[in-house]
Amino acid sequence: AGMLDLASKQYRYIVNVKPDAAEWHYELAKTLSSTQRPTQAKHHFERTIALDPDHAHAHNQLGHLYFKSREVGQARVYFQKAVELDGTVANFHNDLGAVAAVSRDVDTAMREFRTAIELNPDFLEAHFNLGAALEHKQMFKEAIAEFKTVLRLDKEGADKSLILKSKQRLLRLEGK
């Protein structure tokens, strides 16, 4: 965290010199978020948005902070705004899908996961999330296909957690 703390100090200095520079508030907020300082990070993401209301990434990052603190309604507002501002970012759709799934809005979740996959066909997390949503809807054949896609795409086993969860779901589903 030493380098992140140094970066945080440098960004704070720049923000003090240029308080109306949205991009520097955004960089400081990302650094604060990475160093487990969510309250301070929220403040600077909010400041970024106040200075640049169309900053899609700031909306999305703020959504993450609310999602982590289990403020699902607020998270959804910010994820939705990020998608509205820039619908070309697969992560934004995946994040909106995740918050929809937690809110038991499975149809919206599936739509968002599918959009994320259309934008980035190799997006492991979106395939896994779609598989989980399909499983929830008892669309087992389609769910199995998504979990197998996760295994096929992650040839090097880079995402061990997702691989393990996919294998566990496949074992359960293929036994049905």
Side-chain angles (χ1 to χ4, degrees):
M3 291 300 287
L4 287 173
D5 287 333
L6 179 61
S8 177
K9 284 179 185 171
Q10 290 172 333
Y11 289 137
R12 280 183 200 281
Y13 174 78
I14 295 168
V15 163
N16 286 331
V17 172
K18 295 183 170 197
D20 294 332
E23 204 53 41
W24 292 111
H25 282 280
Y26 178 71
E27 292 301 326
L28 175 56
K30 284 193 321 185
T31 304
L32 291 167
S33 185
S34 296
T35 58
Q36 307 302 311
R37 295 183 185 125
T39 304
Q40 294 173 36
K42 278 182 188 175
H43 167 76
H44 287 284
F45 283 131
E46 288 166 350
R47 185 75 181 123
T48 302
I49 292 167
L51 293 166
D52 181 2
D54 294 337
H55 199 299
H57 288 275
H59 283 278
N60 196 66
Q61 291 293 327
L62 196 49
H64 276 280
L65 290 174
Y66 280 110
F67 196 60
K68 285 179 188 170
S69 63
R70 297 189 176 15
E71 296 175 68
V72 176
Q74 277 296 101
R76 190 170 187 155
V77 168
Y78 286 104
F79 288 149
Q80 182 68 50
K81 186 65 176 177
V83 166
E84 288 170 15
L85 290 169
D86 188 351
T88 66
V89 180
N91 282 334
F92 293 177
H93 289 279
N94 187 61
D95 294 339
L96 181 55
V99 82
V102 167
S103 304
R104 300 202 184 321
D105 183 357
V106 181
D107 291 331
T108 298
M110 288 179 15
R111 182 182 69 242
E112 294 300 328
F113 298 143
R114 284 187 170 117
T115 301
I117 292 166
E118 285 172 24
L119 292 167
N120 179 0
D122 296 338
F123 194 172
L124 295 178
E125 187 179 339
H127 282 286
F128 178 84
N129 289 341
L130 178 56
L134 289 163
E135 181 181 1
H136 181 80
K137 296 280 279 190
Q138 298 189 350
M139 300 170 74
F140 301 126
K141 183 178 173 188
E142 295 90 341
I144 288 169
E146 290 302 323
F147 295 130
K148 285 184 175 179
T149 298
V150 172
L151 299 179
R152 181 176 48 78
L153 288 174
D154 193 16
K155 294 173 188 72
E156 283 83 47
D159 194 331
K160 300 216 182 314
S161 172
L162 219 47
I163 294 294
L164 181 61
K165 288 191 282 189
S166 295
K167 286 181 178 178
Q168 289 169 335
R169 297 240 178 168
L170 279 169
L171 282 172
R172 186 173 65 238
L173 288 170
E174 288 179 328
K176 290 190 176 206

